[in-house]
Coordinates of all heavy atoms in Angstrom, one line a residue:
V1568 N 35.6 15.2 10.1 CA 37.0 14.8 10.6 C 36.8 13.6 11.6 O 35.8 13.7 12.4 CB 37.5 16.0 11.4 CG1 39.0 15.6 12.1 CG2 37.7 17.2 10.5
L1569 N 37.7 12.7 11.6 CA 37.7 11.5 12.5 C 39.0 11.6 13.3 O 39.0 12.0 14.4 CB 37.5 10.2 11.8 CG 37.9 8.9 12.6 CD1 37.0 8.9 13.8 CD2 37.6 7.7 11.8
K1570 N 40.1 11.4 12.6 CA 41.4 11.5 13.3 C 42.1 12.7 12.8 O 42.1 13.1 11.6 CB 42.3 10.2 12.9 CG 42.0 9.0 13.7 CD 43.1 8.0 13.6 CE 43.1 6.9 14.6 NZ 44.1 5.9 14.3
D1581 N 36.6 20.5 20.7 CA 37.0 19.4 20.0 C 36.8 19.5 18.5 O 35.6 20.0 18.0 CB 36.2 18.2 20.5 CG 36.8 16.8 20.0 OD1 36.6 16.6 18.6 OD2 37.3 16.0 20.7
R1583 N 36.3 17.5 16.1 CA 35.3 16.7 15.6 C 33.9 17.3 15.7 O 33.1 17.4 14.8 CB 35.3 15.3 16.0 CG 36.3 14.4 15.5 CD 37.7 14.8 15.7 NE 38.0 14.9 17.1 CZ 38.8 14.0 17.7 NH1 39.2 12.8 17.1 NH2 39.2 14.1 19.0
F1584 N 33.6 17.9 16.9 CA 32.4 18.6 17.1 C 32.3 19.8 16.4 O 31.2 20.2 15.7 CB 32.2 18.9 18.6 CG 31.5 17.7 19.4 CD1 32.3 17.1 20.5 CD2 30.3 17.3 19.2 CE1 31.8 16.1 21.3 CE2 29.7 16.3 19.9 CZ 30.6 15.6 20.9
N1587 N 32.2 18.6 12.4 CA 31.2 17.7 11.9 C 29.7 18.2 12.4 O 28.7 17.7 11.8 CB 31.4 16.4 12.6 CG 32.8 15.7 12.1 OD1 33.5 16.3 11.4 ND2 33.1 14.7 12.8
T1588 N 29.7 19.1 13.4 CA 28.4 19.4 14.0 C 28.1 20.9 14.0 O 27.1 21.4 13.6 CB 28.2 19.0 15.5 OG1 28.6 17.5 15.6 CG2 26.9 19.2 16.1
S1613 N 26.3 9.1 10.0 CA 27.1 8.0 10.1 C 26.4 6.8 10.7 O 25.5 7.1 11.6 CB 28.4 8.2 10.8 OG 29.2 7.0 11.0
A1615 N 28.0 5.2 12.9 CA 28.6 5.4 14.1 C 27.9 6.5 14.8 O 28.1 7.7 14.4 CB 30.1 5.7 14.0
Q1616 N 27.1 6.2 15.7 CA 26.3 7.3 16.5 C 26.4 6.9 17.9 O 26.2 5.7 18.3 CB 24.9 7.4 16.0 CG 24.7 7.7 14.6 CD 23.3 7.8 14.2 OE1 22.3 7.7 15.0 NE2 23.0 7.9 12.9
A1617 N 26.6 7.9 18.8 CA 26.7 7.6 20.3 C 26.1 8.7 21.0 O 26.1 9.9 20.5 CB 28.1 7.5 20.7
P1618 N 25.5 8.5 22.2 CA 24.9 9.5 23.0 C 25.9 10.7 23.2 O 27.0 10.5 23.5 CB 24.5 8.8 24.4 CG 24.3 7.3 23.9 CD 25.3 7.1 22.8
V1619 N 25.3 11.9 23.1 CA 26.2 13.1 23.1 C 26.3 13.6 24.5 O 25.4 13.8 25.2 CB 25.5 14.1 22.1 CG1 26.4 15.4 22.2 CG2 25.2 13.6 20.8
S1620 N 27.6 13.8 24.8 CA 27.9 14.5 26.1 C 27.9 16.0 25.8 O 28.7 16.6 25.0 CB 29.3 14.2 26.6 OG 29.9 15.0 27.4
A1623 N 31.2 17.6 26.5 CA 32.2 17.4 25.5 C 31.9 18.3 24.3 O 32.8 18.8 23.7 CB 32.2 15.9 25.0
L1624 N 30.7 18.4 23.9 CA 30.3 19.4 22.8 C 30.8 20.7 23.1 O 31.1 21.5 22.3 CB 28.8 19.3 22.6 CG 28.1 20.3 21.7 CD1 28.5 20.0 20.2 CD2 26.6 20.2 21.8
G1628 N 36.5 18.4 28.8 CA 36.9 17.0 29.0 C 37.6 16.5 27.6 O 37.6 17.3 26.6
Q1629 N 38.0 15.3 27.5 CA 38.7 14.8 26.4 C 38.0 13.4 26.0 O 37.8 12.5 26.7 CB 40.1 14.5 26.8 CG 41.0 14.2 25.6 CD 41.4 15.4 24.8 OE1 41.4 16.6 25.2 NE2 41.5 15.2 23.4
L1630 N 37.7 13.3 24.6 CA 37.2 12.1 24.1 C 38.2 11.4 23.3 O 39.0 12.1 22.6 CB 35.9 12.3 23.3 CG 34.6 12.9 24.2 CD1 33.6 13.3 23.2 CD2 34.1 11.9 25.1
D1631 N 38.1 10.1 23.1 CA 39.0 9.6 22.0 C 38.4 9.8 20.7 O 37.3 10.3 20.6 CB 39.3 8.0 22.4 CG 38.0 7.2 22.2 OD1 37.1 7.5 21.4 OD2 37.8 6.2 23.0
D1632 N 39.2 9.4 19.6 CA 38.7 9.8 18.3 C 37.3 9.3 18.0 O 36.5 10.1 17.4 CB 39.8 9.3 17.3 CG 41.1 9.9 17.3 OD1 41.2 11.1 17.8 OD2 42.1 9.4 17.0
M1633 N 37.2 8.0 18.1 CA 35.9 7.4 17.7 C 34.7 7.9 18.5 O 33.6 8.1 18.0 CB 36.0 5.7 17.9 CG 35.0 5.1 17.0 SD 35.2 5.4 15.2 CE 33.4 5.6 14.8
A1634 N 34.9 8.2 19.9 CA 33.9 8.6 20.6 C 33.5 10.1 20.2 O 32.2 10.4 20.1 CB 34.2 8.7 22.1
A1635 N 34.4 10.8 20.0 CA 34.1 12.2 19.4 C 33.4 12.2 18.1 O 32.4 13.0 17.9 CB 35.4 13.0 19.4
Y1636 N 33.9 11.3 17.2 CA 33.3 11.3 15.9 C 31.7 10.8 16.0 O 30.9 11.4 15.4 CB 34.0 10.3 15.1 CG 33.6 10.1 13.6 CD1 33.7 11.2 12.7 CD2 32.8 9.0 13.4 CE1 33.2 10.9 11.4 CE2 32.3 8.7 12.0 CZ 32.5 9.8 11.0 OH 32.0 9.7 9.8
A1637 N 31.6 9.7 16.8 CA 30.3 9.2 16.8 C 29.3 10.1 17.5 O 28.1 10.2 17.1 CB 30.3 7.8 17.6
Q1638 N 29.7 10.8 18.5 CA 28.9 11.8 19.2 C 28.5 12.9 18.3 O 27.4 13.3 18.2 CB 29.5 12.2 20.5 CG 29.6 11.2 21.6 CD 30.0 11.7 23.0 OE1 29.7 12.9 23.2 NE2 30.7 10.9 23.7
S1639 N 29.5 13.3 17.5 CA 29.4 14.5 16.6 C 28.4 14.1 15.5 O 27.5 15.0 15.0 CB 30.7 15.0 16.1 OG 31.2 14.0 15.0
K1640 N 28.4 12.9 15.1 CA 27.4 12.5 14.0 C 26.1 12.3 14.6 O 25.1 12.6 13.8 CB 27.9 11.1 13.4 CG 29.2 11.4 12.5 CD 28.9 12.4 11.4 CE 30.1 12.6 10.5 NZ 29.8 13.6 9.4
L1641 N 25.9 11.9 15.7 CA 24.5 11.9 16.3 C 23.9 13.2 16.5 O 22.8 13.5 16.2 CB 24.5 11.0 17.6 CG 23.1 11.0 18.2 CD1 22.1 10.2 17.2 CD2 23.0 10.3 19.5
A1642 N 24.9 14.2 16.9 CA 24.5 15.5 17.2 C 24.1 16.2 15.9 O 23.0 16.9 16.0 CB 25.6 16.3 17.8
F1679 N 40.8 3.6 10.2 CA 40.5 2.1 10.3 C 41.6 1.3 9.7 O 41.6 0.1 9.9 CB 39.1 1.7 9.9 CG 38.0 2.5 10.5 CD1 37.4 3.6 10.1 CD2 37.6 2.0 11.8 CE1 36.4 4.3 10.6 CE2 36.5 2.7 12.5 CZ 36.0 3.8 12.0

Side-chain angles (χ1 to χ4, degrees):
V1568 177
L1569 169 56
K1570 277 193 171 184
D1581 188 294
R1583 278 66 60 102
F1584 274 117
N1587 302 354
T1588 307
S1613 171
Q1616 298 177 8
V1619 181
S1620 162
L1624 174 62
Q1629 190 76 31
L1630 296 174
D1631 65 36
D1632 292 332
M1633 200 60 220
Y1636 180 79
Q1638 291 188 33
S1639 72
K1640 287 302 184 180
L1641 182 60
F1679 300 97

